[in-house]
């Protein structure tokens, strides 16, 4: 695609994260002309738990992405601890793998460009929809026209304000912090450790690195002067986390952080834009399946866009209604379950009580894990 002479494409994807790259690759492999507009350059680290459910593995392999051959770590066990250091261990029903966004996004971006997708580093500032087409403008004063626009720009953006999305008007009280470490941690385990006002996910990724990523209420965090101060005064009260932070060595120059994280229910279609990944909705990291959901939503939206472009879906209204329906069918219950679990987990006495029940009824924990995950996705047929 030569964008110097051609400013009209079939599909524009705003955001080149996990959902944006996967949907671009899916569509490109089916012969669709795709443009990604992404503000960052590759590779980069992102604040993310970096555990991915095996439910997406068959689909990723069909896209030419084979995580375990690239150094990803196979994970089959789950550990849960409470603020009062009660511990619960179980096997994961389906299992998963640990892989950094630095490696996964970079690999996907290379694969996407090999498939003929054009990626430009820019920021979308305005989107207008008229006469069944989208008119997209960027910060660098470029303009593009597309039949379809997918929103995959992450948790929140100035675009959400422009589009007048309802969730953006509400307070987003959560802050997340992530870094990689070296040290002693089991390769086949993903752990969730609770502390006052939040919880922390821990798992291995490639190159023997430990990903430690926690989320907390901003009100709790702002009482302290810095991230290290917060960690020593609050996070360390969980014995497992204290041991990790005091024995492991930070490999980043400093931890990454993001604020204003919202778990409000979002609409998967806004102003005729089809949203996927975190842009469509976020599940609490406690459930450990945000990356899996992003990949799954990319698959769902790509399949429907293909049907629409081939005339198998007759109208844009039908396309939008079908996508909203399938998104809600696959993910809405998961998102709501995640909110309930996070609310329970953040109440110390209640979480201890629930943990006691789960120890006596281990099959119940398996059912809870399954309720926030899906079945293995079918491979893409090319």
């Amino acid at each position: 695609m030569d964008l110097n002479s051609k400013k009209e494409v079939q599909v524009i994807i705003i955001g080149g994260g996990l959902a944006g790259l996967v949907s671009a690759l899916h569509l490109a492999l089916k012969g669709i002309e795709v443009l990604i507009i992404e503000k960052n350059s590759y590779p980069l680290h992102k604040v993310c738990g970096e555990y991915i459910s095996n439910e997406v593995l068959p689909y990723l392999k069909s896209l030419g992405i084979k995580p375990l051959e690239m150094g990803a770590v196979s994970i089959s066990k789950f550990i849960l601890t409470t603020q009062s250091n009660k511990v619960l261990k179980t096997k994961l029903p389906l299992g998963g793998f640990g892989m950094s966004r630095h490696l996964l996004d970079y690999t996907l971006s290379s694969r996407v460009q090999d498939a003929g997708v054009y990626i430009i580093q820019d920021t979308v500032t305005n989107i207008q929809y008229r006469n069944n087409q989208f008119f997209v403008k960027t910060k660098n004063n470029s303009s593009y026209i597309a039949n379809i626009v997918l929103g995959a720009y992450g948790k929140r953006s100035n675009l959400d304000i422009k589009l007048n999305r309802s969730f953006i008007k509400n307070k987003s009280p959560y802050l997340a912090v992530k870094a990689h470490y070296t040290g002693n941690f089991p390769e086949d385990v993903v752990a969730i450790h609770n502390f006052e006002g939040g919880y922390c996910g821990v798992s291995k990724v490639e190159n023997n690195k430990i990903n430690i990523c926690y989320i907390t209420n901003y009100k709790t965090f702002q009482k302290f002067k810095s991230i290290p101060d917060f960690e020593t005064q609050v996070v360390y009260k969980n014995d497992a986390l204290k041991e990790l932070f005091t024995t492991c060595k930070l490999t980043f120059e400093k931890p990454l952080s993001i604020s204003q994280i919202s778990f409000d229910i979002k609409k998967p279609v806004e102003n005729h834009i089809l949203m996927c990944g975190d842009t469509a909705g976020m599940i609490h990291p406690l459930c450990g399946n945000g990356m899996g959901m992003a990949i799954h939503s990319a698959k769902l939206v790509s399949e429907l866009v293909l049907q629409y472009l081939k005339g198998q879906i007759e109208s844009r209204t039908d396309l939008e209604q079908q996508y909203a329906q399938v998104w809600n069918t696959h993910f809405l219950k998961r998102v709501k379950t995640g909110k309930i679990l996070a609310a329970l987990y953040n109440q110390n006495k209640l979480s201890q009580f629930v943990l006691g029940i789960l120890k006596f009824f281990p099959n119940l924990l398996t059912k809870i894990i399954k309720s926030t995950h899906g079945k293995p996705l079918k491979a893409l047929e090319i």
Side-chain angles (χ1 to χ4, degrees), residues 39 53 58 94 124-125 140 151 154 163 167 175 182 224 241 259 278 308 330 344 358:
K39 64 181 180 180
S53 168
L94 190 60
V124 173
T125 56
N140 291 337
L163 296 171
F167 85 92
L175 167 84
T182 56
F224 301 89
L241 289 174
S259 59
D278 289 346
Y308 174 74
H330 285 280
L344 291 174
L358 293 175

Side-chain angles (χ1 to χ4, degrees), residues 283 287 289 334 337-338 341 367-374:
I283 192 168
C287 303
N289 201 33
R334 294 195 208 183
T337 300
L341 291 174
K367 289 183 179 180
I368 292 172
I369 294 172
K370 285 183 176 180
S371 72
T372 59
H373 292 66

Side-chain angles (χ1 to χ4, degrees), residues 14 76 80 106 151 237 240 244 255 263 292 300 309 312 332 343 346:
I14 305 171
S76 59
L80 181 73
Y106 179 68
K237 289 181 180 179
L244 279 167
F263 296 104
L300 291 174
L309 293 176
Q312 296 169 353
L332 188 57
N346 278 323

Side-chain angles (χ1 to χ4, degrees), residues 260-276:
Q260 299 186 43
I261 300 171
S262 173
F263 296 104
D264 286 353
I265 302 298
K266 303 175 183 178
K267 293 181 181 179
V269 182
E270 298 269 14
N271 293 32
H272 306 286
I273 301 168
L274 307 179
M275 307 296 187
C276 55

Side-chain angles (χ1 to χ4, degrees), residues 66-123:
K66 300 176 181 178
L68 297 178
E69 294 181 13
M70 296 159 55
V73 176
S74 182
I75 296 173
S76 59
K77 299 174 184 176
F78 176 59
I79 295 177
L80 181 73
T81 70
T82 65
Q83 293 178 41
S84 53
N85 298 300
K86 301 293 183 182
V87 181
L88 184 63
K89 300 179 180 181
T90 189
K91 289 185 178 181
L92 290 167
L94 190 60
F97 58 94
M99 187 176 187
S100 73
R101 291 293 300 274
H102 188 276
L103 176 60
L104 182 54
D105 287 13
Y106 179 68
T107 303
L108 278 166
S109 68
S110 300
R111 177 88 173 98
V112 156
Q113 291 175 89
D114 289 343
V117 175
Y118 199 95
I119 302 177
I120 63 167
Q121 189 177 346
D122 203 345
T123 301

Side-chain angles (χ1 to χ4, degrees), residues 14 37 45 48 101 129 135 153 210 218 243 254 256 261 267 278 299 333-334 338-339 360 362 364 370 375:
I14 305 171
I37 303 175
H45 287 284
C48 183
R101 291 293 300 274
Y129 175 77
F135 297 82
Y153 47 81
I210 306 168
Y218 188 71
E243 182 178 357
K254 62 180 180 178
L256 305 177
I261 300 171
K267 293 181 181 179
D278 289 346
K299 182 177 189 289
K333 186 177 179 180
R334 294 195 208 183
K339 292 184 74 171
F360 282 102
L364 183 57
K370 285 183 176 180
K375 297 179 180 179

Side-chain angles (χ1 to χ4, degrees), residues 100 103 221 247 309 317 320:
S100 73
L103 176 60
F221 179 81
T247 61
L309 293 176
T317 299
E320 294 172 8

